[in-house]
Amino acid sequence: MKAIVINEPYDVAVVERPVPEIKPGEALLKLLYGGICGSDLGSYRGTFAYVSYPRTPGHEFSAEIVEIGPNDKGLKPGMVVTCNPYFNCETCYSCQRGLVNCCTTNQTMGVQREGAFAQYITMPVERIYDGKGLPAKTLALIEPFCISYHGVSRAHVQSHDKVLVIGAGTIGVLAAVAAKIKGAEVYIADVAEEKLRYAMEEFHLDGTILNDGPDSFKNKIREVTEGNGFDVAIEAVGLPSTFQACIDAAAFGGKVVLIGVGKQNLDFDFTVIQKKELNIFGSRNALKKDFEELIDIVKSGKVNLEKIVTDTYRFEDAGRAFEEFDKHAGSKLKVLVEF
């Protein structure tokens, strides 16, 4: 079979490998679609905090079951599925408390362990979720939706909340969609006008805010919220400046959710957290229930996930996919690789 490998930053290759052999409790899967995540792009650029090289990327994917043993989940060969790509140790304090998404030695596919971007992979049966008839392209988008949905759930977003999402990439747009599903009034901010326009037109959000400078941004926040600030501010970029912007945009007594991942340190007037009595939530990965709930939500027709896809490449063109995503990140949302 063939697999995609990032040998080092800006070096992507398609290589030959043997088809993996399944172990007890595993299934053999044939990849159908894989999504290039912002973390994969960070791995390509050498900016992602957790990755090591060489690495097969990919943790957003759909696949067809090729071989699977008897199981109590009703999973059979030929079914199209998606999977939970976050491997937890089961023994640390987090895992003991059921917080498996923030396992202290978490290994996410494509980051701390080999990823899914190969023609065939093996997965533990317990991590495989029935796609319930959803198209393969849609199922490849469930995992990034889970990241966003989990963050929105962390803040317990309610129908009366006014929510700001900073970052109009895939995770940010899907966080805005998740907040809309909860019934909130949702605005999205970014430095890229094209992305804001796309998010507004395709997902019918309540408004956009162009982040074209600190003073201008603060003035727009005051205007939109009548000086009150947002009930919930969600950071989906991973930069100190955008986290600071969330702190500034949040109302007194508001909530801030950090989904974005970055390497830089933040130096800011932290006393504002005390002054505003802010509730700050970190959000990492997602849980089994997030996958199962979102498969049902998407199945119900509440959201057309495929609107988030701006580009699709054949897996043989993986190098070009990463190169063009890197150069044109300001105009692309979800980039898929078709296997």
Side-chain angles (χ1 to χ4, degrees):
M1 70 168 191
K2 294 181 179 179
I4 298 167
V5 177
I6 302 177
N7 292 307
E8 59 186 23
Y10 300 102
D11 180 4
V12 176
V14 178
V15 301
E16 293 283 345
R17 283 182 181 168
V19 174
E21 297 182 3
I22 63 172
K23 300 173 183 177
E26 292 183 339
L28 179 66
L29 306 180
K30 178 182 179 181
L31 256 285
L32 299 175
Y33 285 92
I36 298 179
C37 176
S39 62
D40 295 318
L41 184 58
S43 298
Y44 174 75
R45 291 170 167 170
T47 59
F48 189 51
Y50 302 132
V51 75
S52 59
Y53 304 94
R55 181 65 67 214
T56 292
H59 56 264
E60 312 170 357
F61 60 95
S62 60
E64 178 185 338
I65 298 175
V66 176
E67 185 178 345
I68 192 169
N71 62 87
D72 60 3
K73 300 180 69 174
L75 298 171
K76 300 176 182 178
M79 293 178 67
V80 179
V81 298
T82 191
C83 301
N84 183 329
Y86 328 116
F87 284 72
N88 60 293
C89 71
E90 301 183 358
T91 59
C92 72
Y93 188 45
S94 297
C95 289
Q96 290 174 25
R97 291 178 291 154
L99 305 174
V100 296
N101 61 303
C102 53
C103 168
T104 56
T105 55
N106 170 80
Q107 291 193 340
T108 297
M109 293 175 67
V111 184
Q112 297 94 345
R113 65 189 293 139
E114 288 296 81
F117 282 10
Q119 289 177 303
Y120 295 90
I121 63 169
T122 57
M123 284 293 292
V125 172
E126 69 201 32
R127 295 184 168 276
I128 301 173
Y129 304 125
D130 179 4
K132 297 187 177 180
L134 287 173
K137 185 178 285 189
T138 298
L139 284 174
L141 305 169
I142 292 293
E143 190 277 341
F145 199 8
C146 283
I147 296 292
S148 305
Y149 184 79
H150 185 77
V152 169
S153 298
R154 290 279 287 147
H156 302 287
V157 170
Q158 307 292 317
S159 59
H160 56 76
D161 286 335
K162 184 170 283 190
V163 176
L164 173 68
V165 179
I166 297 184
T170 297
I171 299 302
V173 171
L174 292 179
V177 171
K180 285 295 291 181
I181 289 173
K182 301 282 188 182
E185 181 181 343
V186 183
Y187 291 75
I188 193 164
D190 202 285
V191 297
E193 287 188 79
E194 188 173 346
K195 281 187 173 181
L196 292 177
R197 186 162 47 250
Y198 189 87
M200 191 71 181
E201 291 174 356
E202 297 296 336
F203 294 99
H204 310 296
L205 306 179
D206 295 287
T208 64
I209 297 175
L210 181 63
N211 191 357
D212 53 357
D215 293 336
S216 173
F217 178 76
K218 289 178 182 179
N219 288 335
K220 291 170 185 174
I221 296 298
R222 283 193 288 268
E223 180 181 341
V224 168
T225 66
E226 298 179 341
N228 295 322
F230 283 90
D231 300 296
V232 181
I234 300 173
E235 202 284 340
V237 180
L239 291 173
S241 60
T242 45
F243 180 71
Q244 177 72 68
C246 281
I247 296 289
D248 294 338
F252 279 64
K255 302 171 184 177
V256 174
V257 182
L258 178 62
I259 302 177
V261 179
K263 282 186 172 182
Q264 299 178 41
N265 292 328
L266 176 65
D267 181 12
F268 75 113
D269 179 13
F270 63 87
T271 304
V272 71
I273 297 173
Q274 180 272 337
K275 181 180 180 181
K276 287 187 171 183
E277 197 177 60
L278 296 177
N279 300 278
I280 299 181
F281 300 88
S283 182
R284 187 178 189 187
N285 299 334
L287 295 166
K288 176 181 178 180
K289 74 179 189 68
D290 297 316
F291 283 86
E292 293 177 338
E293 288 177 12
L294 284 185
I295 287 171
D296 286 339
I297 286 172
V298 176
K299 179 73 174 176
S300 74
K302 290 183 179 179
V303 57
N304 180 359
L305 274 188
E306 292 189 22
K307 287 183 177 181
I308 205 75
V309 178
T310 53
D311 302 86
T312 303
Y313 295 81
R314 292 290 299 162
F315 79 91
E316 296 94 339
D317 298 323
R320 184 164 64 89
F322 275 96
E323 180 181 358
E324 293 182 358
F325 194 9
D326 173 46
K327 290 180 178 178
H328 306 289
S331 61
K332 295 181 185 292
L333 286 177
K334 179 51 59 187
V335 176
L336 289 183
V337 177
E338 183 179 359
F339 289 82

